[in-house]
Amino acid sequence: MTDSQMILDPAIRDWVLIPIMIVMVLVGVLRHHITMLLTGQPKKPQLKAIRESKALLRGMRLRTFGNYIPPHAFGARKTMLANAYESGKYLKNPDGQKEAANPMDPEMMEGMMEGMKKQLTNMVPQMLIMGWINFFFQGFIVIKLPFPLTPRFKTMLQSGVDTRDMDVTWVSSLSWYFLNLFGLGSVFALILGDNNAAGVDMAAMGAMPGAMPGAGQPGQPPDFNKLFMAEKENVLITAHQWDLDNVEERLLAKYGKRTLTPSTSSTTKKEPATIRDKIKQQQQQQQQRPRRR
């Protein structure tokens, strides 16, 4: 009852909630332009590099949307991709990809420098904004979320507020900063375009645990040989279940024209004849019947 009767001062909305969001948007735009000045415009990728990434994406799409193609087509694509991944057909440099990376490679050095510049432009504004919020707005409650949450979100949404009985839906000023930090990506994409440097660069924050093998460290190119081997295993163990199998019976059952039997509802290979085959059989039986004089 005490949580539902809490009322925030409108001055908190005008002088804490909205200013934090506006400052973070302006800092994100400024960070994008500074990153463009330091690193320059992104270079156009080579044709072989595009082929590497698209070949990996092809295996992922086969695993995701493979149920929309017949079993023989799925099996043919699975075999072709597995053989291509094994032989290194789509690698940009099949001979040099398996060798140890040269630390003095100019492209690798340039990638590491760009990664360090992006990390610097990400960390410095975040430290300044966090210090500004902790100095001026420490312990402020700025907003209440319109949906219920479990108590596990209390430490995340009420950072800097030492209370045990307050409802978890109340958000502190420091937590509002983190929500804006990870939630303004769509706003930056609307203002600056899709390929912008205003949002949080997750790759610059370090390799996340449980990442895909071969993804590489920040500033280093990924090892596509390891990525292809991992994708080959994923493709080979993917089971196939055609969504259009026995679709006529399921369509009639959906609109109440016929009830599905266990034999027709199963998706095994031994399926009963389709409706068109049944109509042909009935016509043949009628033709074979002796006519009465």
Side-chain angles (χ1 to χ4, degrees):
M1 293 297 293
T2 56
D3 291 337
S4 61
Q5 295 177 359
M6 287 181 59
I7 299 175
L8 294 179
D9 190 351
I12 295 179
R13 177 197 60 198
D14 299 336
W15 297 99
V16 181
L17 179 70
I18 298 178
I20 290 176
M21 184 174 62
I22 294 176
V23 166
M24 294 199 64
V25 172
L26 295 178
V27 169
V29 174
L30 181 62
R31 182 169 59 211
H32 168 73
H33 291 291
I34 292 176
T35 305
M36 291 296 102
L37 290 175
L38 293 177
T39 60
Q41 295 295 331
K43 298 180 179 180
K44 294 183 179 180
Q46 300 178 358
L47 181 60
K48 293 183 178 181
I50 296 176
R51 187 180 65 173
E52 277 184 339
S53 59
K54 296 301 181 182
L56 187 65
L57 182 62
R58 186 176 181 182
M60 297 179 182
R61 287 184 175 177
L62 180 64
R63 293 188 287 109
T64 306
F65 307 105
N67 294 334
Y68 297 105
I69 59 178
H72 65 275
F74 180 82
R77 286 168 172 80
K78 178 193 290 188
T79 305
M80 186 272 296
L81 286 176
N83 295 334
Y85 292 156
E86 179 68 26
S87 62
K89 177 181 177 181
Y90 298 114
L91 291 176
K92 181 172 61 176
N93 188 10
D95 298 330
Q97 187 75 16
K98 298 181 181 180
E99 299 177 359
N102 185 12
M104 301 303 294
D105 189 3
E107 294 183 359
M108 183 176 295
M109 295 292 292
E110 186 177 357
M112 293 177 63
M113 289 299 297
E114 289 184 0
M116 293 177 62
K117 291 177 182 177
K118 291 181 179 179
Q119 188 174 3
L120 181 64
T121 55
N122 282 330
M123 290 181 60
V124 173
Q126 293 175 17
M127 294 174 61
L128 293 177
I129 295 176
M130 190 179 298
W132 170 62
I133 293 175
N134 283 330
F135 184 79
F136 288 100
F137 310 120
Q138 185 177 7
F140 276 62
I141 298 296
V142 295
I143 194 174
K144 183 179 182 181
L145 299 178
F147 47 85
L149 292 172
T150 60
R152 294 183 179 181
F153 292 90
K154 189 175 182 64
T155 56
M156 181 179 68
L157 296 178
Q158 296 180 1
S159 301
V161 180
D162 298 331
T163 56
R164 296 183 179 180
D165 301 330
M166 186 181 297
D167 189 7
V168 69
T169 55
W170 292 101
V171 181
S172 64
S173 57
L174 188 59
S175 299
W176 177 245
Y177 158 73
F178 286 110
L179 291 177
N180 284 275
L181 181 64
F182 296 101
L184 289 176
S186 300
V187 178
F188 292 139
L190 182 63
I191 299 174
L192 304 171
D194 293 332
N195 298 325
N196 61 80
V200 179
D201 190 1
M202 299 302 296
M205 295 178 65
M208 302 299 292
M212 199 170 184
Q217 297 295 328
Q220 297 182 2
D223 189 355
F224 276 95
N225 189 23
K226 294 181 180 180
L227 293 175
F228 284 158
M229 291 298 103
E231 186 61 28
K232 172 196 169 184
E233 297 179 359
N234 295 333
V235 168
L236 290 177
I237 64 176
T238 301
H240 180 265
Q241 185 177 357
W242 193 23
D243 286 347
L244 298 182
D245 200 4
N246 197 28
V247 66
E248 298 92 348
E249 299 290 341
R250 290 187 279 119
L251 185 62
L252 291 175
K254 178 180 179 180
Y255 292 99
K257 301 298 182 180
R258 182 174 297 183
T259 58
L260 282 176
T261 60
S263 59
T264 59
S265 61
S266 60
T267 57
T268 57
K269 293 183 179 180
K270 296 181 179 180
E271 294 288 343
T274 60
I275 297 177
R276 187 176 301 175
D277 296 336
K278 291 180 180 180
I279 294 174
K280 290 182 179 180
Q281 292 177 3
Q282 293 177 2
Q283 291 177 354
Q284 292 176 0
Q285 291 176 1
Q286 292 177 359
Q287 293 177 359
Q288 292 176 1
R289 290 179 183 177
R291 297 181 179 178
R292 297 181 181 178
R293 296 180 180 179

